Amino acid sequence: MKNKYLLDADETVLDFVRSSRESFGAAMRKFGHESAAQHYALFKEINDGLWREYERGEIRKAELVVARFSRFFARMSIEEDAAAVNREYFAKLCRTGYLLEGARSFMDELKKRGKVYLITNGTPDAQYGRLASLGLTDFFDGVFVSDEIGFAKPDARFFAYVLQHIQAEKQDCVIIGDSLTSDIKGANNAGIECVWYNVCGKEAAGAKPDHTAASYAQVLEIIDKIS
């Protein structure tokens, strides 16, 4: 029976973009780069690209968090201590949690149907800090963070670790996430049925979702059908 849900965090239920944008702006202003604060889109492009490198095993997390600022400053022709700016950004990020619209009611409905586990490649302090700020520390039946496991999505070993620790079989689980490169590719690698949360109507490329949903309501409809 499919009653164990492996739920991605950022941009599936947590509004990472809002948290990141606020933290980025605060860091830029603190270091005297008011005009650079208007260029979050560029920072996000660089950050997203680095996370794809991380998923492919091409960069370590400790390098990623500094490189996102060093590359941004290089593009903006700004001389600044990237590591110091990242520390300021990260400190605020850990205190700034938001849910996407409709996420809480979706999570409550999902939990009525079985156990819900959060699976994320995010940094532990940021993920646990944002959950705490939202009062969600005890909501999930388990939280699995790549840094604590030693493997990151889409590596099949990440999912093997999760299954072992929740004492579940693949056929009892469903992976739900927005990322083709980490969640859906990871589900493919691990042989676990998945639902791609695709609110933007993107084309599936490089991974094969078993199901696609454009809203939380559609995710629940799919869950009810396959369970």
Side-chain angles (χ1 to χ4, degrees), residues 37-138:
Q38 309 305 313
H39 294 275
Y40 176 74
L42 174 60
F43 172 77
K44 183 178 183 300
E45 176 188 326
I46 293 168
N47 193 38
D48 288 349
L50 283 163
W51 279 100
R52 301 294 84 78
E53 291 180 29
Y54 174 70
E55 291 166 5
R56 296 192 296 268
E58 297 170 0
I59 190 170
R60 295 184 298 113
K61 181 76 68 64
E63 297 170 325
L64 181 161
V65 296
V66 177
R68 59 190 174 189
F69 283 102
S70 62
R71 292 185 188 183
F72 173 76
F73 289 134
R75 292 279 295 274
M76 296 291 296
S77 299
I78 294 173
E79 291 189 11
E80 189 53 84
D81 184 340
V85 175
N86 179 70
R87 286 193 292 271
E88 181 66 24
Y89 166 85
F90 188 69
K92 181 169 176 57
L93 186 72
C94 292
R95 307 188 303 269
T96 312
Y98 299 104
L99 286 171
L100 293 168
E101 184 177 356
R104 183 55 198 261
S105 58
F106 163 68
M107 289 157 54
D108 288 339
E109 286 298 319
L110 194 61
K111 200 161 188 180
K112 292 177 184 178
R113 291 159 168 79
K115 292 186 178 295
V116 182
Y117 303 93
L118 200 68
I119 57 170
T120 174
N121 279 352
T123 303
D125 286 347
Q127 302 305 70
Y128 291 123
R130 286 186 294 147
L131 291 178
S133 76
L134 289 164
L136 291 173
T137 301
D138 298 322

Side-chain angles (χ1 to χ4, degrees), residues 6-18:
L6 310 185
L7 182 66
D8 174 56
D10 291 327
E11 296 309 297
T12 299
V13 289
L14 294 181
D15 191 343
F16 174 79
V17 172
R18 182 178 175 185

Side-chain angles (χ1 to χ4, degrees), residues 24 32-33 35 63-64 72 86 95-96 106 124-125 146 148 160 171 176 189 194 197 199 217-218 223-224:
F24 173 79
H33 304 298
S35 61
E63 297 170 325
L64 181 161
F72 173 76
N86 179 70
R95 307 188 303 269
T96 312
F106 163 68
D125 286 347
S146 60
E148 297 177 326
Q171 61 268 24
I176 304 165
N189 290 342
C194 61
Y197 182 56
V199 295
Q218 288 185 3
I223 292 298
D224 289 341

